[in-house]
Amino acid sequence: MGKGVGAVIRCKDLTVSFGGRAVLDRFSLNIPAAGVTALSGPSGCGKTTLLRVLAGLEKPRSGAVEGIVPRQTALLFQDDRLLPWRTVEQHLTDVLPKSRWGEVPARLALAELEGEGRWLLTPFATDALVFVVNRDNPVDGLTADQVRRIYTGEITNWSQVGGEDLEIVPFQRNQGAGSQTMFEKVVMEGAEPMEPPATWTSNSMEGLLNAVREYDNSAAALGYTVYYYANDMEMARGLKVLAIDGVTPSAQAIRAGEYPFLNPYFVSIDKDAPQDSPTRILYDWVLGPDGQKLAALEGYVPVTDVEG
């Protein structure tokens, strides 16, 4: 993690708060600068917040860190993953020293990815992340910025967004869930969501929707789901889907790109693939009427308007 003073990284009386809720409250810890230190605790206890403070990504309201230089500190993903906005070539140059960038074409060739421009990458369907509240909540819509500020803890009361004087309870999915990854990618746009208490996290989509519907017999909760579930009459019972930036999520708005929180899916093929090759035939089928009907049947919004 870094070289500490006297081989120790010292955290002294760290306090970090989000929306009035103290995630770290006068927290102190001595961490050996060598070896492996494991941080263990329930969701929402501040593990990620502490790592962000150590890396210089989060400034504590009070307290100090000694024995670590943020510019010499690196954070690694817990799970193997790539950055979806970077190309394969860029991922290689991200991890190789500049002196070895000349090796990239050969490495791409090994994976038959040389000349990424040779590939056709065509969207065939789109999914969307939609936000839901209890149907008794008077708020009908939020802006994308308000959603992000709610989930970073900057907005904490429904009265701040035109609703009643009621604390906002923003539910999230568990880490590793597809909808959570989608939420962080298309909604947060690099902003760090606050660590929710364990009671504000659900391990299933149905569980999250039930929690929003029934939380404390009030309309305090906010949650999200993929468009398909929001359109399922049983799953959406007792819930209201919010407009975002004035746009109500619908197949038409998603297909037109008017709704903001979209996640497109692509089909890829070598541009030089022969017309009668199996890959070309499959590519054409996915983009044709039958493939588009299948996408609609599976709950996605196809790029062409077809009967489901």
Side-chain angles (χ1 to χ4, degrees):
M1 185 176 286
K3 292 183 178 180
V5 176
V8 172
I9 299 168
R10 294 190 174 92
C11 304
K12 294 184 177 180
D13 297 322
L14 294 178
T15 296
V16 180
S17 299
F18 298 107
R21 182 173 67 89
V23 178
L24 297 177
D25 187 9
R26 291 169 294 179
F27 177 84
S28 297
L29 177 69
N30 289 340
I31 305 172
V36 176
T37 299
L39 303 176
S40 178
S43 177
C45 71
K47 302 184 296 295
T48 299
T49 299
L50 175 60
L51 291 175
R52 286 176 57 80
V53 170
L54 293 174
L57 301 175
E58 194 75 57
K59 186 175 181 180
R61 190 176 71 186
S62 61
V65 176
E66 298 178 355
I68 189 170
V69 180
R71 289 178 60 87
Q72 299 176 4
T73 304
L75 297 179
L76 300 178
F77 290 119
Q78 179 174 330
D79 303 312
D80 294 335
R81 64 181 68 184
L82 298 175
L83 303 176
W85 56 88
R86 304 285 281 171
T87 66
V88 176
E89 181 176 2
Q90 288 169 332
H91 275 113
L92 289 171
T93 56
D94 286 342
V95 298
L96 288 173
K98 193 170 184 179
S99 61
R100 297 180 59 190
W101 285 5
E103 301 175 20
V104 169
R107 293 178 180 269
L108 290 173
L110 285 174
E112 298 183 348
L113 289 173
E114 69 272 25
E116 289 184 81
R118 68 181 265 197
W119 296 92
L120 283 176
L121 193 65
T122 308
F124 71 91
T126 306
D127 204 354
L129 201 72
V130 302
F131 285 81
V132 295
V133 294
N134 184 288
R135 64 184 174 189
D136 294 329
N137 191 317
V139 173
D140 293 322
L142 297 168
T143 67
D145 182 64
Q146 285 172 336
V147 172
R148 281 187 284 272
R149 292 173 65 197
I150 287 171
Y151 276 94
T152 57
E154 298 172 69
I155 294 176
T156 60
N157 195 291
W158 284 108
S159 64
Q160 295 174 263
V161 292
E164 298 175 348
D165 184 10
L166 189 66
E167 180 190 12
I168 299 175
V169 179
F171 278 85
Q172 297 185 44
R173 284 294 312 279
N174 55 298
Q175 285 296 322
S179 57
Q180 183 68 14
T181 300
M182 185 175 171
F183 163 73
E184 294 174 1
K185 171 187 172 185
V186 306
V187 177
M188 298 309 291
E189 295 183 341
E192 181 77 12
M194 62 182 178
E195 289 192 32
T199 54
W200 293 7
T201 304
S202 175
N203 290 326
S204 71
M205 186 62 71
E206 184 176 3
L208 186 148
L209 295 178
N210 285 336
V212 173
R213 183 186 297 115
E214 301 169 1
Y215 179 79
D216 200 28
N217 293 317
S218 77
L222 171 70
Y224 48 82
T225 181
V226 291
Y227 176 71
Y228 172 76
Y229 280 111
N231 274 334
D232 183 293
M233 295 300 293
E234 182 62 25
M235 294 289 282
R237 179 176 49 83
L239 298 172
K240 177 168 56 176
V241 177
L242 298 180
I244 303 296
D245 290 341
V247 180
T248 300
S250 66
Q252 293 76 19
I254 292 169
R255 186 176 296 112
E258 297 168 354
Y259 184 76
F261 299 144
L262 302 178
N263 190 45
Y265 292 88
F266 297 86
V267 58
S268 180
I269 190 175
D270 190 324
K271 288 191 297 187
D272 297 326
Q275 291 297 322
D276 59 351
S277 66
T279 51
R280 176 70 69 174
I281 292 170
L282 178 59
Y283 173 87
D284 292 339
W285 183 89
V286 169
L287 297 175
D290 290 340
Q292 292 290 280
K293 287 179 181 178
L294 178 61
L297 184 66
E298 292 299 318
Y300 300 98
V301 177
V303 294
T304 57
D305 190 1
V306 296
E307 293 291 334

